[in-house]
Amino acid sequence: MGQLRVDFTGARGGEGPVTLGQGNVLEWIGAQRQERSDILCRFVPVPVGVTAADIGEVLAVLIARHEALRTTIVPGERARQVVTAVGSLTVELTELDGPDVEPLLRESLAGQPFDYAEDLPVRVAVATRDGVPHLVALALSHLATDFASISLVAAQLAAMMADPALRVVGPTAHQPLDQAALEATEPARRRAGAAVRFWENQLRRMPQCVFSVPAAGEEGCREGYLSSPAAGLALPAIVARTGVSHSTVLLAAAATLLAVRTGNARGALVSICGNRFRPGMADYVGTIAQDALVPFELGESTVDAVIRGVQVATMNAYRYSQFEARRLWPVMDRVATERGTRFQRDCVFNDVGAHGEVRVIDPTPPTAVALAAQQSSFSWLPATSYPVAFYFTVISAGSDVRLALYADTRYLPPADIEGFLRGVEALLVASAAREVPVAEVPAITGIVPVDRGDGWVCVDSCWVELAEVRRVLAEATGGQAAVFGSDELVGYVVADEKPQAIHEKCVALLPGRYTAMAPGRYVVCAAAPDDLDDLDAWRSMPVLAEGTGR
């Protein structure tokens, strides 16, 4: 075990405001400095004959070429990015035994969060066998790169190791300091403002979450992985018939099965938008991906119609996926107060395989697609943690479609995680041969609607469990409470507060409580009846205050 010192010299240093992407990442890692996606890792095999000195030379070029890799962040109300022109990086040389060294390298590099105000946002280790380099491990802060960026960095690393002629910094490219300056222009500021307005319009009308369903399993989380050659063969036929992208077909398939499973004909997925379609951004190294809010509606026609609807929704949502996070949060709070709902961001879609993936173009006969379904394989991925109920990842959408599904096992137990992934495969295989009616989806996929039972109502497009609303109201006030209604929820409660104060406390309790919303009207009573479930008895109690609390 040893170390390699890498000295680098960039074309410039400088300081400026953070970009929208950097600001977005700062918001979600500010309170909790380490989540799984806070640090991104890649592993690059070392070609035969490449020495540690060669790797050092390549890394020096990479860091000089990309200012994001030599940028620290000064946090605060007006956070700043600081680019250093000259510096050094220490690379660990680690002699490792065993065939699978990636988990050990990942733990050593990503086990601790970056100090983004002090540390370079890049860590590198080189695994050796008998002293000969055979694998380079990269760990980059999400403040420096997103999935597309780290893929670009890894590809350039591999190319320069293989070809010494490529080990030049090259002409100055678009850098995060340039991006921040661009975002400060008036047209860009108008677009960012329009994005916040788009989100507000969607938040006012869509269900607050998709998984407003009864718990079906034990508390926990798992992530399943499906490798499906059949889906890879099926996609080209669906793409050819519908005229949309591979990614959109997979997003629509996931949305369709979500709608069937949860009984939510309408819903919304957060799709991580790479924002690489914008001019000059294809090869940008920096964090620019942000959330796009994609509404979907199942309808009663065909899966193809759902796919085309999702295509329109995604194109619109991706237009509004660059915004200043600090300006969006107050809007979310205001909508939450006015509606009595809280956007839960419970379902996320991310196509990380879209960067440089080679697609299959020629459609395959349906019989061959169906036969290939026998070759699919399912396995479990290492333990992960996301603050969501459902995270659907497209790892690859080429000849072999590889999908991962992370889920909160309260809502999707382990068997249902596997069942959902295989359901997506089955839907794609069926759709390769014909337009599938939505009514046939449960029979084709095995995904059937959840049974909510009694005590559930649909209010303002949200499925709500009356008992959970009662618990929220009682917890907010510390008093006896009851909730009644269908079109409007009316909360009766014994408390010494006014409706506005009670409503604020109820809304504050909604994050993470998928099946609850705040009542639409509050009736504060001097006492509670003996039977809390008796509406007429509540109505006979002396009323101290009444109102919406809005």
Side-chain angles (χ1 to χ4, degrees), residues 328-363:
L328 180 59
W329 308 145
V331 169
M332 293 176 124
D333 291 340
R334 184 170 67 248
V335 173
T337 297
E338 293 173 7
R339 282 188 72 188
T341 62
R342 169 63 68 176
F343 173 57
Q344 300 285 0
R345 197 183 183 269
D346 60 324
C347 293
V348 178
F349 173 87
N350 195 6
D351 185 351
V352 302
H355 315 300
E357 183 66 59
V358 176
R359 309 293 190 181
V360 174
I361 298 174
D362 297 329

Side-chain angles (χ1 to χ4, degrees), residues 140-179:
L140 304 182
S141 167
H142 213 326
L143 279 164
T145 60
D146 50 25
F147 276 102
S149 290
I150 195 171
S151 297
L152 288 167
V153 170
Q156 291 177 17
L157 171 64
M160 285 193 286
M161 283 195 296
D163 185 353
L166 298 178
R167 297 172 193 173
V168 292
V169 175
T172 302
H174 188 67
Q175 307 283 0
L177 283 175
D178 307 317
Q179 180 63 18

Side-chain angles (χ1 to χ4, degrees), residues 213-224:
V213 297
E218 300 295 325
E219 185 172 353
C221 56
R222 295 292 298 274
E223 186 169 16

Side-chain angles (χ1 to χ4, degrees), residues 43-56 58 126-129 131-137 154-164 166-167:
F43 301 92
V44 182
V46 178
V48 174
V50 171
T51 67
D54 292 328
I55 295 171
V58 168
V126 176
T128 62
R129 292 201 188 282
V132 178
H134 81 105
L135 189 71
V136 178
Q156 291 177 17
L157 171 64
M160 285 193 286
M161 283 195 296
D163 185 353
L166 298 178
R167 297 172 193 173

Side-chain angles (χ1 to χ4, degrees), residues 103-123:
L104 293 174
L105 291 173
R106 188 186 301 272
E107 177 60 30
S108 66
L109 292 179
Q112 295 296 323
F114 283 96
D115 183 341
Y116 50 77
E118 298 291 337
D119 299 340
L120 286 176
V122 54
R123 295 173 185 153

Side-chain angles (χ1 to χ4, degrees), residues 398-545:
S399 57
D400 181 12
V401 168
R402 292 177 286 137
L403 307 172
L405 174 57
Y406 165 95
D408 185 323
T409 50
R410 291 174 297 177
Y411 307 109
L412 279 181
D416 293 348
I417 295 174
E418 179 177 357
F420 195 99
L421 287 170
R422 293 193 181 278
V424 169
E425 178 188 55
L427 183 58
L428 295 174
V429 169
S431 296
R434 62 188 176 97
E435 291 196 38
V436 174
V438 167
E440 294 182 16
V441 170
I444 289 171
T445 65
I447 304 298
V448 297
V450 67
D451 181 12
R452 285 190 171 82
D454 297 329
W456 288 78
V457 294
C458 191
V459 181
D460 191 14
S461 77
C462 303
W463 278 106
V464 176
E465 184 183 16
L466 292 175
E468 184 66 6
V469 180
R470 173 190 282 191
R471 283 189 283 271
V472 167
L473 182 55
E475 185 178 334
T477 60
Q480 293 177 294
V483 177
F484 305 93
S486 53
D487 295 335
E488 180 188 46
L489 299 183
V490 180
Y492 290 82
V493 64
V494 178
D496 57 2
E497 296 177 288
K498 299 294 184 183
Q500 183 176 352
I502 296 172
H503 181 63
E504 290 176 357
K505 290 182 178 180
C506 285
V507 171
L509 290 171
L510 293 179
R513 303 177 91 147
Y514 296 167
T515 67
M517 68 186 301
R521 188 162 61 89
Y522 300 86
V523 180
V524 183
C525 299
D530 293 335
D531 184 358
L532 296 180
D533 295 322
D534 188 336
L535 175 58
D536 290 333
W538 274 104
R539 285 171 171 168
S540 69
M541 296 292 104
V543 175
L544 302 179

